[in-house]
């Protein structure tokens, strides 16, 4: 059940806008002035003040991408950018069901836009289990469900950084499709797990937040088209 403490607008700093308990822990949205913060499993996951890498994740799929799967709705920055980039069809899988309900109800303008765009389908589920059950192919699969293998918000998300799951994900890509994974830090073990599944590129995105510098990593795996 969602606990909506107060609506956006006229709130004191870091006011809780919405909070709910889920089987995977508490999820909350807070508002600090103009900034929206997302708390996942009781841990600060992201805010709206610095979203360069969320947008870079979407841009990795290229202009006018075909069918794209995003793991983790969050505040909807990656999804909204894909819409701006002209995506043809977008599936978003989100573990926290209340976040989907809040998006549909329009808790932020951006989440409302994503939830109501006819190209988008929001799915409640765990991407670790959802994707292996699918048979269709995606032109891009973009994963931003956790901080990366080195610092997990949900222990169970270790599965999506494991070699066998990544192989399954790569098999769900269309020829020349892209699997892109966001990580808070360089994660050599993730690079090793992806090695051999396609053409691998690692990009570091330097950002500054509250006077501190961070080097977020994007792992980009391009599936090579089968010979012949
Ligand atoms: C950092 S946020 C994603 C941010 C998003 N890229 C954006 O642009 O706003 C991570 C999201 O993934 C969700 N999540 C965590 N584990 C998941 C899983 N196993 N499957 C699907 N969603 C998951 C969290 O609830 C959260 O909404």
């Amino acid at each position: 059940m969602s606990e909506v403490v107060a609506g956006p607008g006229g709130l004191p700093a870091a006011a809780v806008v919405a909070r709910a308990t889920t089987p995977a822990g508490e999820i909350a949205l807070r508002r600090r002035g103009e900034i929206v913060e997302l708390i996942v499993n009781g841990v600060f996951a992201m805010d709206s003040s610095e979203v360069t890498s969320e947008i870079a994740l979407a841009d990795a799929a290229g202009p006018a991408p075909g069918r794209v799967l995003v793991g983790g709705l969050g505040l909807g920055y990656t999804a909204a950018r894909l819409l701006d980039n002209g995506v043809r069809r977008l599936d978003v899988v989100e573990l926290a069901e209340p976040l989907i309900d809040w998006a549909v109800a329009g808790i932020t303008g951006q989440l409302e836009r994503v939830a109501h765009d006819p190209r988008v389908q929001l799915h409640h589920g765990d991407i670790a289990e959802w994707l292996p059950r699918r048979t269709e192919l995606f032109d891009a699969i973009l994963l931003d469900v956790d901080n990366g293998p080195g610092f997990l918000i949900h222990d169970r998300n270790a599965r999506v950084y494991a070699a066998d799951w990544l192989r399954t994900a790569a098999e769900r890509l269309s020829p020349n499709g892209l699997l892109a994974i966001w990580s808070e830090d360089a994660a050599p073990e993730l690079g090793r797990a992806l090695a051999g599944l396609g053409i691998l590129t690692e990009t570091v995105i330097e950002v500054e937040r509250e006077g501190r510098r961070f080097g977020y990593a994007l792992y980009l795996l391009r599936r090579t088209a089968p010979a012949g």
Side-chain angles (χ1 to χ4, degrees):
M1 193 184 102
S2 309
E3 177 201 348
V4 177
V5 174
L11 293 173
V16 175
V17 177
R19 176 166 49 207
T21 302
T22 79
E26 184 181 87
I27 184 143
L29 282 181
R30 294 192 309 224
R31 195 173 279 272
R32 188 185 299 276
E34 293 299 305
I35 296 171
V36 179
E37 301 176 339
L38 175 66
I39 312 300
V40 176
N41 197 18
V43 176
F44 174 89
M46 69 175 295
D47 69 26
S48 59
S49 70
E50 174 28 79
V51 292
T52 313
S53 63
E54 284 81 358
I55 287 176
L57 183 62
D59 287 349
R67 182 163 188 183
V68 177
L69 170 65
V70 168
L73 173 62
L75 297 177
Y77 282 90
T78 302
R81 179 68 163 201
L82 285 162
L83 296 177
D84 291 341
N85 287 351
V87 69
R88 180 169 49 78
R89 175 168 174 181
L90 175 58
D91 292 279
V92 182
V93 180
E94 170 55 46
L95 185 62
E97 194 168 20
L99 188 56
I100 295 177
D101 296 340
W102 298 337
V104 171
I107 198 156
T108 69
Q110 176 159 266
L111 284 172
E112 181 175 28
R113 174 190 169 212
V114 168
H116 293 283
D117 190 292
R119 292 170 288 172
V120 177
Q121 222 180 332
L122 298 180
H123 308 269
H124 169 226
D126 186 327
I127 192 84
E129 292 152 18
W130 191 92
L131 182 56
R133 288 199 299 263
R134 307 301 286 206
T135 52
E136 67 269 48
L137 300 181
F138 297 92
D139 298 310
I141 299 174
L142 311 179
L143 286 183
D144 181 10
V145 292
D146 215 302
N147 289 327
F151 172 43
L152 295 172
I153 292 178
H154 290 293
D155 290 344
R156 285 168 64 80
N157 278 341
R159 295 180 292 176
V160 304
Y161 304 108
D164 56 346
W165 193 89
L166 293 168
R167 175 174 299 281
T168 302
E171 288 168 358
R172 298 294 182 277
L173 291 173
S174 50
N176 297 313
L178 181 85
L179 171 63
I181 304 177
W182 186 97
S183 177
E184 184 179 62
D185 272 318
E189 67 274 39
L190 180 56
R192 282 193 293 274
L194 288 165
L197 299 178
I199 299 166
L200 181 63
T201 317
E202 183 185 343
T203 308
V204 175
I205 299 169
E206 302 277 352
V207 301
E208 193 170 321
R209 294 177 50 91
E210 293 163 3
R212 292 177 60 202
R213 295 197 69 76
F214 296 87
Y216 298 143
L218 282 189
Y219 287 82
L220 307 175
L221 181 85
R222 179 72 61 188
R223 182 177 178 187
T224 42

